[in-house]
Amino acid sequence: MMRLRGSGSDGAHWRGVEPVPALLVSLAVVVLVSIVLAASGWAAEPAADADIAAAEPDSLLFRIQADMYTLHGRLKEMLAAAAELPSLGPFILRRITKGYGAEHVWQLVASTLVILAVAWAGEGMARRLFRPLLIRLPALDTRSDFGKLGVLALRFIVSTVELAAFALIAIAMFFLVYQGHEAARLAFWTILAFVLCVRTGAAFLRLLLAPDQGGLRLPAIDDATARQLYWSFLFLAALGAATVLSGLFLDHIGVDPALLLAFGQLILVLNFVAIVAVIGAHHDGISRLVGIRSAEGVERATGLGGLIAGHWYVFAICYVVAMALSATANRLLTGETQTAHTVPTLAVLIAVPILHGLLRMAVDRFFGDRAAVSGTPAPVEMAPVEMAPVEMALLETEPSAVTDVGDTDGYGRVIMRNGNILLGVVVVLLLAEIWEVDLDALAAHSLGARIANSLFDIIITLILASAGWGIIKTAINRQLPHERLGALALVEDEAMGTGLTRLETLLPLLRKFLFITLLVTVALIAISAMGINIGPLLAGAGVVGIAVGFGAQTLVRDIISGVFFLIDDAFRVGEYIDVGEGKGTVERMSVRALMLRHHLGQINTIPFGVIRRVTNYSRDWAIMKLELRVPFDADLEQVRKIVKQVGQEMMADPEYGQHFIQPLKSQGVHRMDDSSFIVRVKFMARPGEQFVLRREVFRRVQEAFQQHGIKFAPRRVIVDAPPTLGPAAAAAVAAEAAGAGGADGAKAG
């Protein structure tokens, strides 16, 4: 009987026609149309070969038409052979019992059971050998994920060694006691391989899910979900192993190719139906297993990514169906089984979440907070945190002023993002290799040969630039904690804060410079990779730069002045300065200008070129001098002691003492006026804290003066007036004034 074979791994041909790439829609249409044609008995033989040959051999239409006829013929053969599937069982029995009676089947079954029983007993002895080691496993440190993984890996290794002992004993017993011809031996090897595959899969699933060891389980799933997923995945593994091994066995014992095609297609449908059923029934558990948002959390999702992640199982089912259609079409076109395509594809899809989880564990182990790097969108309940009024105002009025720490702080998120990109690229390349898709030829056909040749270099450059910029940006942002706060949070009292360090002031400008440099470099590399000579472009850019320099002298002056101001360390972000053109707190700086926030709220943008002097009120220390008015009769020595005592008490205060550089002390009588002595006191404090300390000094001095009976002297104005006259003198003055008035009247008359 002649068997239908392909031409090998270098691409199978059927009637000299190259198969169409696995495009989902095209394949679905081809398969459905072919099934309808075969069921309707349409007998369109390839009599139109002359017309087909007349078409262009390299055209897409020609290949589709040829594949349609091929699918039609193979579907007819498969449907005709499907009716003969019940005869497959008797055929297998005849091949196994060839030359023997029918009772020989029971002898073979008994021999197989004896061999497996002896092998199982030998495995039990190996298990007793490892029992002391397994007893001590619960005493190991399993507080971290890597500790749990170590225990699970050790259990997996022990299980693998025990299974190896089982396999070796079974093989040895087979060569000692088993008798039979080739078909019977193949049947035994198929059964043994099936048992080993299923048990290996069970050991791997115990490592991944730990269904009976909740304390060692790495995924965040409960015991019931873990057990359900364990048995469902084990069923899929057993079904897949049975499919592959049965196909190989039937092929080796000489089953008719058409019958083998029908059986293989039936088993293929069963496998994909089982996969779809497991995904549909346990998609919530699988979501928690791989760290994807469940469907219940989609209502809280605001982006397209969250919506797709919440309904990932729909796309997964569509992918499984598409893969089934593709495998069916390729099987019908080439006559070869698609195990070499489907099994590695499923293995890659299973390995992706495992590798992602291991990467997440490693990042969590070496870079800290898991919530900031895992990318898990599940909501986390947080305890209420007390906030200052300014912070509450920020959250209520400027929700965008506070930056999320997880977005900008920590290397974990950067490593996870770059790792996921690298993992995605590797998966695409592996799937292309598995399904024999020539990405270079596809890119050359779609984009052109030159772009296709340079596309790889451009993609690698972009990936490396993204990874490098992520690390650089994270390293800079970790040194800039003030950028997580809004403008209001940088203002304290009279807005004369201590300011940032010189490094914190220069790093934002360095970050902008590095970003622009990296962007220009990547653009030049991409242009050069496309075969364009960048020499004239650089020369033209130099000429344009010179022209811009001559035409924008004011801009150049501002930039150069700003560079020298920064070199001189004249001011920093957060410091209170006066530049003549304006004063306030330095809020931010650009390449050419300085933004000052006035203590009344307005912001002034001042170019560096117009600044002639800078007065910095927030550098190193600040001295505050206060004046106290005491009456002339006050004991000045007692006043000095009171001031000294207040200074000592404030230095010892845990809230205010840390802000003093020198304590409060009296400088004695500074001057005197008409009504009091003016006593001056002073203290040295950290910049920005002197005003808070001033209020507290006045309050405490007032309380101390009241305790010692000292009053502050009020301001007085002394007016010199004539002395008061008695009643007789006053009457005489009045009479004299009246007489003088009468004389003046007579003269006037």
Side-chain angles (χ1 to χ4, degrees):
M1 184 178 294
M2 179 177 163
R3 301 187 185 181
L4 301 178
R5 299 291 186 190
S7 61
S9 60
D10 55 346
H13 298 267
W14 183 258
R15 297 183 185 177
V17 180
E18 190 75 15
V20 181
L23 301 175
L24 304 181
V25 179
S26 300
L27 287 176
V29 173
V30 169
V31 173
L32 292 176
V33 172
S34 301
I35 292 176
V36 171
L37 293 177
S40 61
W42 181 57
E45 296 295 333
D49 287 343
D51 296 336
I52 297 176
E56 180 64 31
D58 294 333
S59 65
L60 179 62
L61 181 62
F62 174 81
R63 293 198 298 270
I64 292 178
Q65 187 174 5
D67 290 341
M68 288 284 291
Y69 281 107
T70 301
L71 288 172
H72 172 253
R74 296 305 301 277
L75 277 173
K76 288 177 61 177
E77 295 177 8
M78 186 181 69
L79 292 176
E84 302 295 331
L85 284 177
S87 64
L88 193 59
F91 175 80
I92 295 174
L93 291 177
R94 288 196 303 270
R95 293 304 305 270
I96 292 178
T97 60
K98 182 179 181 180
Y100 301 92
E103 68 278 359
H104 183 65
V105 175
W106 301 109
Q107 296 178 4
L108 296 177
V109 172
S111 300
T112 302
L113 292 177
V114 169
I115 292 174
L116 295 179
V118 174
W120 182 77
E123 181 185 357
M125 296 178 62
R127 187 178 297 109
R128 291 177 62 88
L129 180 65
F130 287 102
R131 181 173 297 175
L133 177 64
L134 297 176
I135 292 175
R136 298 190 60 184
L137 284 181
L140 297 179
D141 184 12
T142 57
R143 290 174 295 180
S144 65
D145 287 343
F146 274 96
K148 297 177 182 179
L149 181 61
V151 174
L152 292 173
L154 186 57
R155 292 170 64 92
F156 176 77
I157 293 173
V158 171
S159 300
T160 304
V161 173
E162 295 172 355
L163 188 59
F166 173 87
L168 292 176
I169 296 174
I171 294 172
M173 288 293 297
F174 170 79
F175 286 113
L176 289 176
V177 304
Y178 201 85
Q179 299 294 330
H181 58 285
E182 181 180 0
R185 291 194 297 271
L186 287 175
F188 172 79
W189 291 121
T190 301
I191 294 173
L192 180 61
F194 175 76
V195 173
L196 293 178
C197 289
V198 172
R199 295 194 59 188
T200 302
F204 176 76
L205 289 174
R206 286 194 296 271
L207 170 66
L208 180 64
L209 298 173
D212 299 324
Q213 299 288 333
L216 298 177
R217 189 177 304 121
L218 294 174
I221 55 178
D222 55 275
D223 293 342
T225 303
R227 285 191 289 268
Q228 292 174 0
L229 293 179
Y230 172 79
W231 289 111
S232 299
F233 291 163
L234 186 60
F235 169 73
L236 294 180
L239 185 60
T243 300
V244 176
L245 295 174
S246 62
L248 294 175
F249 173 72
L250 296 177
D251 187 29
H252 281 86
I253 64 176
V255 177
D256 181 76
L259 190 60
L260 184 61
L261 177 63
F263 175 78
Q265 186 61 37
L266 177 62
I267 297 298
L268 179 67
V269 171
L270 290 178
N271 274 271
F272 284 103
V273 168
I275 294 174
V276 170
V278 169
I279 293 176
H282 303 291
H283 59 85
D284 286 338
I286 298 174
S287 298
R288 293 195 296 270
L289 176 64
V290 299
I292 299 178
R293 186 199 305 266
S294 61
E296 290 76 7
V298 176
E299 297 180 357
R300 296 186 297 270
T302 58
L304 180 61
L307 184 63
I308 294 176
H311 295 88
W312 67 269
Y313 57 92
V314 178
F315 300 96
I317 291 175
C318 293
Y319 178 80
V320 171
V321 173
M323 192 166 59
L325 294 175
S326 177
T328 300
N330 279 280
R331 176 75 181 272
L332 294 175
L333 288 171
T334 63
E336 291 186 340
T337 62
Q338 298 302 307
T339 304
H341 299 314
T342 56
V343 174
T345 299
L346 292 175
V348 168
L349 297 180
I350 293 172
V352 167
I354 295 175
L355 294 176
H356 178 78
L358 292 176
L359 177 62
R360 182 190 305 172
M361 288 172 52
V363 171
D364 180 30
R365 172 65 176 82
F366 295 104
F367 295 96
D369 187 13
R370 181 172 182 172
V373 299
S374 63
T376 304
V380 179
E381 295 184 0
M382 300 180 63
V385 180
E386 296 183 359
M387 297 184 182
V390 173
E391 295 174 349
M392 291 296 295
L394 274 173
L395 294 178
E396 294 175 359
T397 60
E398 296 188 31
S400 62
V402 181
T403 306
D404 184 10
V405 178
D407 292 337
T408 58
D409 194 11
Y411 295 100
R413 183 176 294 275
V414 177
I415 294 176
M416 284 297 300
R417 181 175 64 251
N418 295 329
N420 289 335
I421 293 174
L422 179 61
L423 185 61
V425 172
V426 172
V427 168
V428 171
L429 295 178
L430 286 177
L431 291 179
E433 184 68 22
I434 290 172
W435 290 94
E436 300 177 359
V437 177
D438 191 351
L439 295 178
D440 294 335
L442 185 63
H445 179 73
S446 304
L447 303 175
R450 173 171 293 184
I451 297 178
N453 292 332
S454 60
L455 186 62
F456 178 78
D457 295 336
I458 294 175
I459 292 176
I460 294 299
T461 302
L462 291 176
I463 292 176
L464 294 178
S466 175
W469 171 245
I471 295 176
I472 293 173
K473 182 180 177 181
T474 301
I476 293 177
N477 289 344
R478 288 170 66 90
Q479 305 298 325
L480 302 174
H482 70 281
E483 289 192 345
R484 305 173 201 157
L485 303 176
L488 292 178
L490 295 176
V491 180
E492 296 179 355
D493 298 325
E494 284 81 0
M496 296 180 65
T498 57
L500 304 178
T501 63
R502 186 176 187 183
L503 181 64
E504 291 173 338
T505 301
L506 296 177
L507 282 180
L509 299 178
L510 177 63
R511 181 176 57 193
K512 295 178 182 178
F513 172 77
L514 292 177
F515 177 75
I516 295 174
T517 302
L518 185 63
L519 187 64
V520 172
T521 303
V522 170
L524 293 177
I525 292 176
I527 294 174
S528 177
M530 295 173 64
I532 301 175
N533 187 8
I534 62 174
L537 184 63
L538 295 177
V543 173
V544 172
I546 294 175
V548 170
F550 279 111
Q553 298 183 18
T554 303
L555 176 63
V556 174
R557 182 190 63 179
D558 293 338
I559 295 175
I560 294 178
S561 299
V563 170
F564 282 104
F565 276 125
L566 294 177
I567 292 176
D568 294 338
D569 194 21
F571 43 78
R572 303 171 185 173
V573 174
E575 292 183 335
Y576 191 90
I577 63 174
D578 183 358
V579 296
E581 300 292 331
K583 61 182 178 179
T585 302
V586 181
E587 187 166 291
R588 60 185 183 273
M589 290 181 287
S590 65
V591 177
R592 59 166 295 273
L594 176 70
M595 276 64 79
L596 295 181
R597 175 76 67 174
H598 195 267
H599 56 269
L600 297 180
Q602 65 268 27
I603 188 168
N604 299 317
T605 301
I606 303 173
F608 289 119
V610 303
I611 299 176
R612 295 292 177 264
R613 64 171 181 83
V614 176
T615 303
N616 195 326
Y617 293 96
S618 302
R619 189 61 60 88
D620 300 330
W621 45 266
I623 293 179
M624 178 64 72
K625 296 184 178 182
L626 310 176
E627 293 183 346
L628 305 177
R629 299 175 58 86
V630 297
F632 289 122
D633 58 352
D635 188 349
L636 296 181
E637 181 63 19
Q638 186 181 19
V639 170
R640 184 188 66 81
K641 292 180 179 180
I642 291 174
V643 172
K644 181 178 180 181
Q645 181 181 1
V646 170
Q648 293 175 349
E649 291 176 354
M650 293 191 68
M651 285 290 293
D653 189 280
E655 180 179 358
Y656 300 103
Q658 58 183 340
H659 302 310
F660 280 99
I661 297 178
Q662 291 182 1
L664 178 70
K665 58 184 177 181
S666 174
Q667 292 185 299
V669 177
H670 175 61
R671 68 180 187 275
M672 60 181 295
D673 58 15
D674 295 337
S675 59
S676 62
F677 289 123
I678 309 300
V679 178
R680 175 177 287 181
V681 299
K682 75 169 186 176
F683 61 88
M684 182 183 294
R686 301 184 185 278
E689 304 295 337
Q690 65 268 30
F691 301 103
V692 177
L693 297 179
R694 178 183 63 182
R695 291 194 296 266
E696 185 66 14
V697 166
F698 277 137
R699 186 184 68 83
R700 296 198 181 202
V701 168
Q702 180 189 25
E703 293 178 355
F705 277 12
Q706 289 178 354
Q707 292 176 1
H708 293 82
I710 300 177
K711 296 182 179 180
F712 290 102
R715 290 184 177 273
R716 296 178 180 176
V717 177
I718 300 176
V719 179
D720 291 332
T724 304
L725 299 177
V733 171
E736 183 179 357
D744 292 337
K747 290 180 180 181

